[in-house]
């Protein structure tokens, strides 16, 4: 039995952040019903990476909405809204990511829903919170990365801002929402009362940066100092931290004793015995290291460095890591059974419960696929 079996989640959410929280709840055993527009469903069904679609819906939608059901309802239609309110009375959790004011207009804001179901956990994702100059600004991942300072942490000093190549704000925000929901469920078990859980994309991505923001706030307000050397991995960490080119590929060096590293690499770093120099003179140190690492192949360096207990690794691309024995042992892939009889390969939940991995072959639903059955089950 999965931990959240028996819990009913109503997901009034689209795109990625809040639906990814629903995905995590579903993987843990909760029953997640997406409340969607009739026919077209939620807008995220048409948001695609590389224009990849499966059975009429984007591949992105399938990755975020597996293991869920879909209930079609026009929330502006009084009859549909009445059915939704009856369903809310049965729910344990409600999630939504509408702009501030939308749920209030249709009578489904927290204070209104609480009258229907005092024990409900009502969880909201916003872009920037409910107040302030950005309250109604689109909560889109790249915008959040750009507004939060995150894009000034990657790349070299000579480059402009560099965004992450994935929807990091959405994913982290979904994880934070899930954490808040689970905490509220524990509280409900003690008090028999529901709760309002709120997270925003902006707060989540600021939290991701807590390490460097704390450094900034306690270091005289000095901005992140990106290296001039390509491959440096952290604007606030000293040499040798970063990625270096070898004779045949790339190698990563993490934290460690610089002088010891120099001895192992046969690079004279004696002029940098003062640890303060490891950051202030990071660029010239990394250049010296790079000039040596380029002379031999990665496997040779890995053997030499690991023998001396120096933290290092090869740099893999997706093709290399997905074919590696270490990845295969993790058993991270699963097959989803699509409505047309074909299968879609995806990843599983990373969580294990009592050493049991959480797999599910249930693919994302077609819009409104479960409306009739849910009406009958709940007498709507």
């Amino acid at each position: 039995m999965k931990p959240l079996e028996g819990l009913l989640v109503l997901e009034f959410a689209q795109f990625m952040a809040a639906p990814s929280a629903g995905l995590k709840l579903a993987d843990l055993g909760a029953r997640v019903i997406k409340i969607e527009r009739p026919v077209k469903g939620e807008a995220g069904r048409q948001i695609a990476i590389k224009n990849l679609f499966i059975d009429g819906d984007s591949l992105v939608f399938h990755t975020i909405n597996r293991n869920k059901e879909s209930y079609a309802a026009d929330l502006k239609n009084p009859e549909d809204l009445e059915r939704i309110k009856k369903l809310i009375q049965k729910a344990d959790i409600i999630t939504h990511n509408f702009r501030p004011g939308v749920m209030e207009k249709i009578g489904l804001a927290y204070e209104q829903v609480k009258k229907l179901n005092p024990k409900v956990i009502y969880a909201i994702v916003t872009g920037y919170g409910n107040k302030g100059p950005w309250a109604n600004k689109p909560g889109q991942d790249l915008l959040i990365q750009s507004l939060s300072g995150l894009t000034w942490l990657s790349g070299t000093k000579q480059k402009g801002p560099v965004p992450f190549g994935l929807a990091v704000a959405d994913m982290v925000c979904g994880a934070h929402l899930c954490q808040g929901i689970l905490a509220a469920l524990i509280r409900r078990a003690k008090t028999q009362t529901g709760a309002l859980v709120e997270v925003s994309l902006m707060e989540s991505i600021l939290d991701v940066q807590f390490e460097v923001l704390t450094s900034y706030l306690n270091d005289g307000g000095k901005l992140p100092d990106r290296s001039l050397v390509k491959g440096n991995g952290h604007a606030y960490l000293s040499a040798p931290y970063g990625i270096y080119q070898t004779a045949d590929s790339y190698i990563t060096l993490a934290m460690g004793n610089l002088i010891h590293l120099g001895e192992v690499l046969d690079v004279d770093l004696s002029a940098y015995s003062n640890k303060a120099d490891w950051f202030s003179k990071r660029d010239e140190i990394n250049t010296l290291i790079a000039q040596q690492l380029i002379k031999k192949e990665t496997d040779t360096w890995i053997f030499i460095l690991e023998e001396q207990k120096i933290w290092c690794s090869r740099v893999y691309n997706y093709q290399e890591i997905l074919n590696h024995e270490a990845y295969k042992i993790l058993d991270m892939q699963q097959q989803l059974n699509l409505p047309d009889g074909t299968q879609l390969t995806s990843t599983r939940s990373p969580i294990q419960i009592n050493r049991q991995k959480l797999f599910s072959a249930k693919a994302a639903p077609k819009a409104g696929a479960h409306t009739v059955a849910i009406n009958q089950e709940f007498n709507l």
Side-chain angles (χ1 to χ4, degrees):
M1 180 175 179
K2 294 182 179 179
L4 301 186
E5 283 187 19
L7 291 178
L8 176 60
V9 181
L10 302 183
E11 183 178 281
F12 297 80
Q14 58 185 352
F15 301 121
M16 196 165 291
S20 71
L23 170 64
K24 290 173 173 59
L25 295 172
D27 282 342
L28 289 168
R31 180 182 183 184
V32 179
I33 301 175
K34 291 184 68 69
I35 309 301
E36 302 190 76
R37 296 176 300 177
V39 185
K40 291 185 177 180
E42 66 129 304
R45 289 180 178 272
Q46 299 305 310
I47 299 296
I49 293 177
K50 292 186 68 177
N51 203 33
L52 294 175
F53 284 81
I54 302 291
D55 198 22
D57 296 313
S58 75
L59 188 61
V60 174
F61 179 84
H62 281 282
T63 63
I64 301 298
N65 292 283
R66 67 167 188 264
N67 213 10
K68 301 178 185 179
E69 300 172 40
S70 175
Y71 185 92
D74 179 357
L75 298 181
K76 296 179 181 179
N77 181 299
E79 292 182 358
D80 280 4
L81 186 58
E82 190 60 32
R83 292 189 186 96
I84 291 298
K85 288 181 178 180
K86 290 180 180 178
L87 200 53
I88 285 172
Q89 293 173 0
K90 307 288 186 180
D92 295 286
I93 301 160
I94 290 174
T95 68
H96 83 76
N97 62 344
F98 292 118
R99 293 189 311 276
V102 171
M103 290 295 261
E104 285 81 357
K105 288 181 181 179
I106 58 178
L108 295 181
Y110 174 61
E111 294 300 329
Q112 297 161 314
V113 166
K114 189 167 66 170
K115 294 176 182 178
L116 297 172
N117 185 347
K119 292 186 178 182
V120 75
I121 308 300
Y122 191 100
I124 305 172
V125 169
T126 63
Y128 313 85
N130 294 311
K131 299 178 181 179
W134 294 341
N136 290 304
K137 188 177 182 66
Q140 194 275 333
D141 195 274
L142 182 58
L143 303 185
I144 300 292
Q145 289 191 43
S146 300
L147 290 167
S148 68
L150 183 69
T151 57
W152 289 103
L153 296 178
S154 301
T156 62
K157 187 180 294 186
Q158 294 173 322
K159 302 294 183 181
V162 179
F164 274 63
L166 73 167
V168 60
D170 283 321
M171 296 304 181
V172 172
C173 188
H176 286 164
L177 186 68
C178 191
Q179 291 170 9
I181 290 169
L182 295 176
L185 285 170
I186 293 172
R187 177 181 176 273
R188 187 179 74 175
K190 299 175 181 178
T191 66
Q192 301 302 305
T193 57
L196 174 63
V197 177
E198 297 178 277
V199 297
S200 74
L201 291 163
M202 178 60 79
E203 288 164 297
S204 285
I205 207 63
L206 289 172
D207 181 71
V208 167
Q209 300 174 77
F210 78 92
E211 172 193 19
V212 291
L213 282 172
T214 302
S215 299
Y216 170 80
L217 292 168
N218 292 277
D219 187 35
K222 297 176 184 176
L223 289 171
D225 185 14
R226 295 183 295 174
S227 173
L228 284 168
V229 178
K230 182 180 179 181
N232 183 260
H234 197 302
Y236 283 94
L237 288 183
S238 60
Y241 198 89
I243 294 176
Y244 301 83
Q245 190 169 0
T246 66
D248 64 337
S249 58
Y250 294 89
I251 190 171
T252 294
L253 297 177
M255 293 82 70
N257 185 289
L258 185 66
I259 304 305
H260 176 53
L261 175 66
E263 294 170 352
V264 174
L265 295 179
D266 195 22
V267 177
D268 184 8
L269 299 177
S270 58
Y272 308 103
S273 57
N274 185 347
K275 284 191 175 182
D277 291 339
W278 297 6
F279 185 85
S280 62
K281 298 180 180 180
R282 176 182 57 188
D283 288 357
E284 58 186 80
I285 295 170
N286 286 352
T287 298
L288 290 172
I289 294 171
Q291 290 171 350
Q292 184 71 343
L293 289 173
I294 196 70
K295 297 177 181 179
K296 297 179 182 180
E297 295 181 345
T298 297
D299 284 344
T300 301
W301 285 124
I302 294 289
F303 177 80
I304 293 170
L305 294 167
E306 287 187 343
E307 190 174 48
Q308 294 296 318
K309 309 299 182 185
I310 293 172
W311 291 359
C312 62
S313 74
R314 175 181 286 274
V315 180
Y316 286 128
N317 58 32
Y318 283 154
Q319 187 178 59
E320 291 167 331
I321 181 59
L322 267 60
N323 284 287
H324 197 282
E325 180 185 3
Y327 172 80
K328 293 176 181 178
I329 288 174
L330 293 175
D331 201 15
M332 275 297 296
Q333 291 181 190
Q334 63 182 3
Q335 300 297 318
L336 306 180
N337 299 320
L338 298 174
D340 64 0
T342 61
Q343 289 188 318
L344 171 67
T345 303
S346 186
T347 55
R348 63 166 175 85
S349 168
I351 299 170
Q352 295 186 42
I353 305 293
N354 292 329
R355 296 186 176 175
Q356 295 294 312
K357 296 171 182 175
L358 303 180
F359 291 97
S360 174
K362 186 177 179 180
K366 299 292 289 183
H370 303 91
T371 305
V372 173
I374 291 170
N375 281 338
Q376 293 174 348
E377 178 183 355
F378 292 98
N379 194 28
L380 304 179

